[in-house]
Amino acid sequence: MNPHPSMFVLCCRKILMVFAFYIAGAVAVISTLLMLTRLNVVHALLYLIVSLLGVAVVFYTLGAAFVAALEVIIYAGAIMVLFVFVVMMLNLGAHAVEMEREWLTPGIWAGPVILASILIIEIVYLVHGASGGLNSGAVPPKQVGIALFGPYLIGVELASLLLLAGLVGAYHLGYRQVEKREILHDSDTHERRAVAGGDLVLAGADKPARTP
Amino acid sequence: MLAGILFSLGLTSLLVRRNLIFVLMSLEVMLNAAGLAFVVAGARWHQADGQVMFLFILATAAAEVSVGLALVLEIYHRVKSLDVDGLSMMRG
């Protein structure tokens, strides 16, 4: 209604943002504490996700909306999916079904749901208020991009190399070692080693010397 | 301040827990706290460098977690447990 919002409204918004910052920070700290006191890995994962979402809301209140979105997508999305996959692969016990039934009791997911709903209410309120972060420190994503591909270009290249190395390393480590057994040549077996009389086995050392 | 609290929580968890998955998760928390510190500093001094550094930390965390989880799978298949102390026999 008023093209120039009065000083009072601006001040009010700022106080609201600071308030939201502290709420989100408290949610992050509480969920991290709960995470590291859980005994079950999956419960801890739930609290870790809530903690990451809390940090994302903190980023939003700091005016770094782009980084907040990245945090949600990469940390709470991709990395958590990796964790969940590994937990699933490791948890192939016979009593998995009853364990699952035990996990689905409402007492387990009540805590993360409460904390996450606090965050959701807060973010809906903030977006509805349409105030673009703590205006004092807002850095637009465009500036980030310019800095990223300007002076930090070598860092970007290094990060891409690091990601490639991580990909190759994870593939190599996760490779099933089934073929290892058939790769073992018979020249590497114990008998041949005994015949050759040493650790170094030459090809065909056990065969009689060919005489012309 | 908040970043410090989160970092110390992650460090405590890293030292206390003896489960490999928990160790990786606390590493996540610590990296996240470092990124939070960078973003707060960038917002404080109106610089874009903080967010750039956060992006690098994000890439590092992603690579570290993928390699770390692959290592966890490998260790689990060898040792049949996720206990860190079970790896004390790893010599040479």
Side-chain angles (χ1 to χ4, degrees), chain B residues 41-72:
Chain B
R44 167 71 180 77
W45 282 288
H46 297 262
Q47 294 293 320
D49 302 350
Q51 301 192 26
V52 172
M53 276 300 159
F54 179 77
L55 291 185
F56 289 156
I57 288 177
L58 204 64
T60 315
E64 171 256 337
V65 158
S66 61
V67 175
L69 284 175
L71 273 175
V72 165

Side-chain angles (χ1 to χ4, degrees), chain A residues 28-112:
Chain A
V29 168
I30 288 172
S31 56
T32 310
L33 256 180
L34 285 172
M35 179 207 93
L36 62 92
T37 52
R38 289 307 97 173
L39 292 180
N40 201 316
V41 177
V42 179
H43 305 166
L45 270 178
L46 283 178
Y47 280 113
L48 181 57
I49 291 174
V50 175
S51 164
L52 294 176
L53 291 180
V55 176
V57 174
V58 167
F59 286 159
Y60 184 77
T61 59
L62 283 173
F66 176 60
V67 165
L70 273 184
E71 165 106 5
V72 171
I73 292 171
I74 296 181
Y75 261 118
I79 294 181
M80 287 309 115
V81 164
L82 275 181
F83 269 111
V84 169
F85 265 129
V86 169
V87 170
M88 277 164 55
M89 286 173 79
L90 294 183
N91 213 341
L92 294 175
H95 54 287
V97 176
E98 57 193 78
M99 203 181 278
E100 186 137 4
R101 194 169 299 130
E102 182 187 333
W103 286 347
L104 286 181
T105 52
I108 299 301
W109 46 263

Side-chain angles (χ1 to χ4, degrees), chain B residues 15-90:
Chain B
L15 293 178
V16 167
R17 296 311 290 261
R18 276 290 170 265
N19 192 321
L20 270 177
I21 302 258
F22 275 97
V23 169
L24 276 181
M25 278 159 62
S26 42
L27 272 179
E28 282 301 300
V29 170
M30 287 164 68
L31 278 174
N32 206 7
L36 177 64
F38 269 116
V39 171
V40 169
R44 167 71 180 77
W45 282 288
H46 297 262
Q47 294 293 320
D49 302 350
Q51 301 192 26
V52 172
M53 276 300 159
F54 179 77
L55 291 185
F56 289 156
I57 288 177
L58 204 64
T60 315
E64 171 256 337
V65 158
S66 61
V67 175
L69 284 175
L71 273 175
V72 165
L73 280 182
E74 187 68 27
I75 286 168
Y76 184 74
H77 284 134
R78 298 225 171 150
V79 192
K80 294 293 170 205
S81 105
L82 283 179
D83 203 349
V84 182
D85 295 332
L87 292 179
S88 315
M89 52 83 182
M90 214 162 77

